[in-house]
Every structure is written in C-alpha cells, then in structure tokens.
Amino acid sequence: MSDPHRTPTFDRRLAELAGSAAAVARPESPAAVRLRARRRTVRRRVGTGALAVAVLGAVVAGGVLRQSVRDDVPPAVTPSPVAPSSSTPTPASESPSPTASAPSSKSPAGTVAARPPGTPDSTPGRCRMANLTVTLGSQDSASGHRSVAVVFRNSGSTTCRLTGYPGVDAVGGDGRTLAHAERTPRGYLGGVAQGARPSAVTLRPGGVASALVEASGFRADGASCTAYARLVVTPPDDVRSVRLRWDTDSCSDLEVHPVVAGATGRSG
C-alpha cells in the first residue's frame, strides 16, 4: 500500500543515495588500485622534477651572478719577462745611436790608442848612458877652489830628459876611489840660483845639459892630500858610468851640483 505523502522526486533522491551507499560499500578492484597508485607516483615524480629544475636554476643563476662579478674585476696577471733577442734586425727607420757610432779612443784591450804619427811626446823618457855622450867641459879656479863642468850631450835620435844630480866619484892615479861627491845645490864657484830646486832638463837630439863639480886644492887642516886623477860619472837615474880624466891638483871637499841647461853647469 503506497504512502500518500511520498512524491516521485523523493523516491528518485532516495534511490541515488542507495546507489551511492552501495558503491561505497563495494570493494575497489585491483586494477583501480594500481591506476590510482601510478597517478600518485607520477604526481610525486613531477613535483620532484619541478623542485630539481628550480634548484638547478637557482644554482645556474648564482654562478652567472658570481661570474659577472668576477668579470667586473680583471684578474691580476704577472707578465713574464721577455729577453730581447740579439738576432732581431733593427728597423730601417731607426738611426743608430751617436754613442755607438762614435769612434773609440781606446783599443779593444782597453789601452790608449797609439799616438798619431808626428805628434810630439809630452813626457819624454829619461836620458840613459846608451844615448848620451859624457865629457868634461870648461874649468875654473879661485881662492884654492877648482871646478869643472860635466857635459851631457844627447847623441840619440829621440828626445829625453835629465833631472837632479849625477853620481860623481874621485879616483886616484892608482885606481883607488878617494872621495864620493857631496850633492849640494851650489858651491863656491857656482851651481843653481840661490833657493832654486833642481828641475828637469829636456834634451832634443844634439842638445846638451851640464852639472858643475867642485873641489879644493888643499885640506882645511893643512895636511897634504892626494890629487884626483879621474872622475867616475853616472848620469841621473842610471847605473852605467864613464871615467873622465881630470888634470888638476884638487884633492878634497868634492861636491856636485844639479843638472842645468847648457854647458857651463851654472844657472845663476
């Protein structure tokens, strides 16, 4: 017997609720379970991939940012020294250095180059016995004093010079040495000017210089003395000597004065 208060709409709604309850109570098939599990797995993988892409993008962005910051500051690079090559040719447009092209005044060994021919020697060498002729010149006497000029002539072919005192010894007739001449600037009969010092005398070939030799014909104590027979003369700064005969009665107080220009042995 039907209920007079039920309507068709109510019956239809009641049927839908009954179907829904039946569907909920019905167990889910294994295929549906597997399908739902696959969908969840796909969603997880998609989410994980999106997260990885986001992280990778952040890393790449950070690297680009750091690289851009580094690009703003150029790296400090220490240049390595480059040795100049000796084989590099000089460009044609470059002219040689004036210093390099100037002629050197020295030889490769570093010594002064040879003097050009005809240039006089400003410092002639010393006169030696090998290029000198030594003789006795003029003689003089006064108040018991005797003197003779020893003359030095340059018999060589080059200019030379004499400076200072010659060596003079007196020898007796028997060859014995009787006295060594004392070196004094001037004596009783001459020598250099008062207060003057010995100076160099330059002798060109054929030129002469001289030194005055003095002695006394007596002894100051009045005793007898042996007369000198010869003079042994050694040029200044030399070791070779020459013997010259001196015929006089001189026997004491032997002296020699410095070399001066000329043949008299006197300069004042």
Side-chain angles (χ1 to χ4, degrees), residues 180-200:
H180 300 289
E182 181 183 0
R183 297 179 176 184
T184 61
R186 60 182 294 111
Y188 187 83
L189 295 175
V192 298
Q194 187 71 35
R197 297 174 61 86
S199 58

PDB file of all heavy atoms in Angstrom, residues 180-200:
ATOM      1  N   HIS A 180     183.665  60.459  -2.543  1.00  0.00           N
ATOM      2  CA  HIS A 180     182.327  60.486  -3.148  1.00  0.00           C
ATOM      3  C   HIS A 180     181.819  61.917  -3.074  1.00  0.00           C
ATOM      4  O   HIS A 180     181.814  62.516  -1.994  1.00  0.00           O
ATOM      5  CB  HIS A 180     181.361  59.561  -2.403  1.00  0.00           C
ATOM      6  CG  HIS A 180     181.791  58.125  -2.399  1.00  0.00           C
ATOM      7  ND1 HIS A 180     181.754  57.316  -3.517  1.00  0.00           N
ATOM      8  CD2 HIS A 180     182.267  57.350  -1.392  1.00  0.00           C
ATOM      9  CE1 HIS A 180     182.173  56.106  -3.217  1.00  0.00           C
ATOM     10  NE2 HIS A 180     182.503  56.098  -1.925  1.00  0.00           N
ATOM     11  N   ALA A 181     181.386  62.466  -4.202  1.00  0.00           N
ATOM     12  CA  ALA A 181     180.964  63.868  -4.230  1.00  0.00           C
ATOM     13  C   ALA A 181     179.706  64.087  -3.384  1.00  0.00           C
ATOM     14  O   ALA A 181     178.749  63.301  -3.458  1.00  0.00           O
ATOM     15  CB  ALA A 181     180.722  64.291  -5.663  1.00  0.00           C
ATOM     16  N   GLU A 182     179.733  65.150  -2.580  1.00  0.00           N
ATOM     17  CA  GLU A 182     178.560  65.549  -1.813  1.00  0.00           C
ATOM     18  C   GLU A 182     177.622  66.326  -2.722  1.00  0.00           C
ATOM     19  O   GLU A 182     178.055  67.197  -3.479  1.00  0.00           O
ATOM     20  CB  GLU A 182     178.976  66.418  -0.628  1.00  0.00           C
ATOM     21  CG  GLU A 182     177.819  66.856   0.239  1.00  0.00           C
ATOM     22  CD  GLU A 182     178.253  67.772   1.361  1.00  0.00           C
ATOM     23  OE1 GLU A 182     179.468  68.059   1.466  1.00  0.00           O
ATOM     24  OE2 GLU A 182     177.385  68.213   2.148  1.00  0.00           O
ATOM     25  N   ARG A 183     176.339  66.035  -2.652  1.00  0.00           N
ATOM     26  CA  ARG A 183     175.357  66.701  -3.507  1.00  0.00           C
ATOM     27  C   ARG A 183     174.863  67.973  -2.829  1.00  0.00           C
ATOM     28  O   ARG A 183     174.241  67.932  -1.772  1.00  0.00           O
ATOM     29  CB  ARG A 183     174.181  65.759  -3.806  1.00  0.00           C
ATOM     30  CG  ARG A 183     174.611  64.520  -4.588  1.00  0.00           C
ATOM     31  CD  ARG A 183     173.450  63.587  -4.852  1.00  0.00           C
ATOM     32  NE  ARG A 183     173.871  62.462  -5.686  1.00  0.00           N
ATOM     33  CZ  ARG A 183     173.074  61.523  -6.150  1.00  0.00           C
ATOM     34  NH1 ARG A 183     171.773  61.570  -5.834  1.00  0.00           N
ATOM     35  NH2 ARG A 183     173.539  60.560  -6.902  1.00  0.00           N
ATOM     36  N   THR A 184     175.168  69.119  -3.448  1.00  0.00           N
ATOM     37  CA  THR A 184     174.765  70.421  -2.909  1.00  0.00           C
ATOM     38  C   THR A 184     174.199  71.272  -4.055  1.00  0.00           C
ATOM     39  O   THR A 184     174.647  71.153  -5.200  1.00  0.00           O
ATOM     40  CB  THR A 184     175.951  71.153  -2.268  1.00  0.00           C
ATOM     41  OG1 THR A 184     176.956  71.386  -3.261  1.00  0.00           O
ATOM     42  CG2 THR A 184     176.537  70.331  -1.116  1.00  0.00           C
ATOM     43  N   PRO A 185     173.234  72.160  -3.774  1.00  0.00           N
ATOM     44  CA  PRO A 185     172.656  72.974  -4.849  1.00  0.00           C
ATOM     45  C   PRO A 185     173.669  73.931  -5.491  1.00  0.00           C
ATOM     46  O   PRO A 185     173.649  74.133  -6.700  1.00  0.00           O
ATOM     47  CB  PRO A 185     171.536  73.749  -4.151  1.00  0.00           C
ATOM     48  CG  PRO A 185     171.221  72.969  -2.918  1.00  0.00           C
ATOM     49  CD  PRO A 185     172.516  72.345  -2.499  1.00  0.00           C
ATOM     50  N   ARG A 186     174.558  74.495  -4.696  1.00  0.00           N
ATOM     51  CA  ARG A 186     175.551  75.415  -5.233  1.00  0.00           C
ATOM     52  C   ARG A 186     176.787  75.417  -4.331  1.00  0.00           C
ATOM     53  O   ARG A 186     176.736  74.970  -3.188  1.00  0.00           O
ATOM     54  CB  ARG A 186     174.996  76.829  -5.390  1.00  0.00           C
ATOM     55  CG  ARG A 186     174.523  77.465  -4.116  1.00  0.00           C
ATOM     56  CD  ARG A 186     173.922  78.859  -4.353  1.00  0.00           C
ATOM     57  NE  ARG A 186     174.944  79.797  -4.817  1.00  0.00           N
ATOM     58  CZ  ARG A 186     174.995  80.314  -6.044  1.00  0.00           C
ATOM     59  NH1 ARG A 186     174.095  79.963  -6.958  1.00  0.00           N
ATOM     60  NH2 ARG A 186     175.940  81.178  -6.390  1.00  0.00           N
ATOM     61  N   GLY A 187     177.872  75.905  -4.873  1.00  0.00           N
ATOM     62  CA  GLY A 187     179.129  75.932  -4.130  1.00  0.00           C
ATOM     63  C   GLY A 187     179.824  77.277  -4.277  1.00  0.00           C
ATOM     64  O   GLY A 187     179.209  78.277  -4.663  1.00  0.00           O
ATOM     65  N   TYR A 188     181.100  77.230  -4.033  1.00  0.00           N
ATOM     66  CA  TYR A 188     181.885  78.474  -4.065  1.00  0.00           C
ATOM     67  C   TYR A 188     181.953  79.048  -5.481  1.00  0.00           C
ATOM     68  O   TYR A 188     181.975  80.266  -5.668  1.00  0.00           O
ATOM     69  CB  TYR A 188     183.295  78.196  -3.550  1.00  0.00           C
ATOM     70  CG  TYR A 188     184.134  79.425  -3.376  1.00  0.00           C
ATOM     71  CD1 TYR A 188     184.030  80.199  -2.222  1.00  0.00           C
ATOM     72  CD2 TYR A 188     185.064  79.804  -4.357  1.00  0.00           C
ATOM     73  CE1 TYR A 188     184.808  81.334  -2.071  1.00  0.00           C
ATOM     74  CE2 TYR A 188     185.841  80.934  -4.211  1.00  0.00           C
ATOM     75  CZ  TYR A 188     185.701  81.700  -3.060  1.00  0.00           C
ATOM     76  OH  TYR A 188     186.480  82.832  -2.904  1.00  0.00           O
ATOM     77  N   LEU A 189     181.967  78.190  -6.492  1.00  0.00           N
ATOM     78  CA  LEU A 189     182.161  78.649  -7.870  1.00  0.00           C
ATOM     79  C   LEU A 189     180.894  78.574  -8.733  1.00  0.00           C
ATOM     80  O   LEU A 189     180.951  78.881  -9.919  1.00  0.00           O
ATOM     81  CB  LEU A 189     183.269  77.837  -8.537  1.00  0.00           C
ATOM     82  CG  LEU A 189     184.670  78.041  -7.919  1.00  0.00           C
ATOM     83  CD1 LEU A 189     185.688  77.093  -8.580  1.00  0.00           C
ATOM     84  CD2 LEU A 189     185.137  79.484  -8.093  1.00  0.00           C
ATOM     85  N   GLY A 190     179.767  78.171  -8.166  1.00  0.00           N
ATOM     86  CA  GLY A 190     178.547  78.170  -8.991  1.00  0.00           C
ATOM     87  C   GLY A 190     177.561  77.108  -8.571  1.00  0.00           C
ATOM     88  O   GLY A 190     177.620  76.543  -7.477  1.00  0.00           O
ATOM     89  N   GLY A 191     176.646  76.812  -9.499  1.00  0.00           N
ATOM     90  CA  GLY A 191     175.567  75.860  -9.248  1.00  0.00           C
ATOM     91  C   GLY A 191     174.237  76.484  -9.655  1.00  0.00           C
ATOM     92  O   GLY A 191     174.176  77.356 -10.530  1.00  0.00           O
ATOM     93  N   VAL A 192     173.156  76.082  -9.033  1.00  0.00           N
ATOM     94  CA  VAL A 192     171.855  76.661  -9.345  1.00  0.00           C
ATOM     95  C   VAL A 192     171.666  77.933  -8.541  1.00  0.00           C
ATOM     96  O   VAL A 192     172.397  78.205  -7.578  1.00  0.00           O
ATOM     97  CB  VAL A 192     170.713  75.670  -9.062  1.00  0.00           C
ATOM     98  CG1 VAL A 192     170.843  74.425  -9.922  1.00  0.00           C
ATOM     99  CG2 VAL A 192     170.672  75.295  -7.581  1.00  0.00           C
ATOM    100  N   ALA A 193     170.688  78.746  -8.918  1.00  0.00           N
ATOM    101  CA  ALA A 193     170.424  80.004  -8.233  1.00  0.00           C
ATOM    102  C   ALA A 193     170.058  79.750  -6.776  1.00  0.00           C
ATOM    103  O   ALA A 193     169.549  78.680  -6.407  1.00  0.00           O
ATOM    104  CB  ALA A 193     169.295  80.743  -8.940  1.00  0.00           C
ATOM    105  N   GLN A 194     170.326  80.740  -5.944  1.00  0.00           N
ATOM    106  CA  GLN A 194     170.061  80.619  -4.526  1.00  0.00           C
ATOM    107  C   GLN A 194     168.570  80.324  -4.284  1.00  0.00           C
ATOM    108  O   GLN A 194     167.694  81.039  -4.782  1.00  0.00           O
ATOM    109  CB  GLN A 194     170.456  81.930  -3.822  1.00  0.00           C
ATOM    110  CG  GLN A 194     170.378  81.879  -2.310  1.00  0.00           C
ATOM    111  CD  GLN A 194     171.498  81.008  -1.720  1.00  0.00           C
ATOM    112  OE1 GLN A 194     172.615  80.987  -2.247  1.00  0.00           O
ATOM    113  NE2 GLN A 194     171.188  80.308  -0.640  1.00  0.00           N
ATOM    114  N   GLY A 195     168.289  79.285  -3.524  1.00  0.00           N
ATOM    115  CA  GLY A 195     166.908  78.919  -3.197  1.00  0.00           C
ATOM    116  C   GLY A 195     166.194  78.133  -4.279  1.00  0.00           C
ATOM    117  O   GLY A 195     165.060  77.696  -4.055  1.00  0.00           O
ATOM    118  N   ALA A 196     166.834  77.924  -5.434  1.00  0.00           N
ATOM    119  CA  ALA A 196     166.175  77.169  -6.513  1.00  0.00           C
ATOM    120  C   ALA A 196     166.268  75.670  -6.251  1.00  0.00           C
ATOM    121  O   ALA A 196     167.167  75.204  -5.552  1.00  0.00           O
ATOM    122  CB  ALA A 196     166.805  77.512  -7.854  1.00  0.00           C
ATOM    123  N   ARG A 197     165.329  74.945  -6.812  1.00  0.00           N
ATOM    124  CA  ARG A 197     165.317  73.496  -6.685  1.00  0.00           C
ATOM    125  C   ARG A 197     165.697  72.872  -8.021  1.00  0.00           C
ATOM    126  O   ARG A 197     165.478  73.455  -9.073  1.00  0.00           O
ATOM    127  CB  ARG A 197     163.930  73.006  -6.273  1.00  0.00           C
ATOM    128  CG  ARG A 197     163.492  73.505  -4.906  1.00  0.00           C
ATOM    129  CD  ARG A 197     162.053  73.101  -4.628  1.00  0.00           C
ATOM    130  NE  ARG A 197     161.900  71.644  -4.636  1.00  0.00           N
ATOM    131  CZ  ARG A 197     162.111  70.873  -3.577  1.00  0.00           C
ATOM    132  NH1 ARG A 197     162.497  71.411  -2.425  1.00  0.00           N
ATOM    133  NH2 ARG A 197     161.944  69.569  -3.661  1.00  0.00           N
ATOM    134  N   PRO A 198     166.274  71.667  -8.002  1.00  0.00           N
ATOM    135  CA  PRO A 198     166.612  71.001  -9.265  1.00  0.00           C
ATOM    136  C   PRO A 198     165.372  70.823 -10.132  1.00  0.00           C
ATOM    137  O   PRO A 198     164.295  70.509  -9.645  1.00  0.00           O
ATOM    138  CB  PRO A 198     167.177  69.652  -8.820  1.00  0.00           C
ATOM    139  CG  PRO A 198     167.624  69.867  -7.405  1.00  0.00           C
ATOM    140  CD  PRO A 198     166.674  70.859  -6.833  1.00  0.00           C
ATOM    141  N   SER A 199     165.511  71.060 -11.418  1.00  0.00           N
ATOM    142  CA  SER A 199     164.395  70.916 -12.349  1.00  0.00           C
ATOM    143  C   SER A 199     164.810  70.039 -13.520  1.00  0.00           C
ATOM    144  O   SER A 199     166.004  69.853 -13.793  1.00  0.00           O
ATOM    145  CB  SER A 199     163.936  72.288 -12.866  1.00  0.00           C
ATOM    146  OG  SER A 199     165.017  72.957 -13.497  1.00  0.00           O
ATOM    147  N   ALA A 200     163.811  69.496 -14.219  1.00  0.00           N
ATOM    148  CA  ALA A 200     164.085  68.624 -15.357  1.00  0.00           C
ATOM    149  C   ALA A 200     164.595  69.439 -16.531  1.00  0.00           C
ATOM    150  O   ALA A 200     164.137  70.553 -16.786  1.00  0.00           O
ATOM    151  CB  ALA A 200     162.818  67.871 -15.741  1.00  0.00           C
TER     152      ALA A 200
END
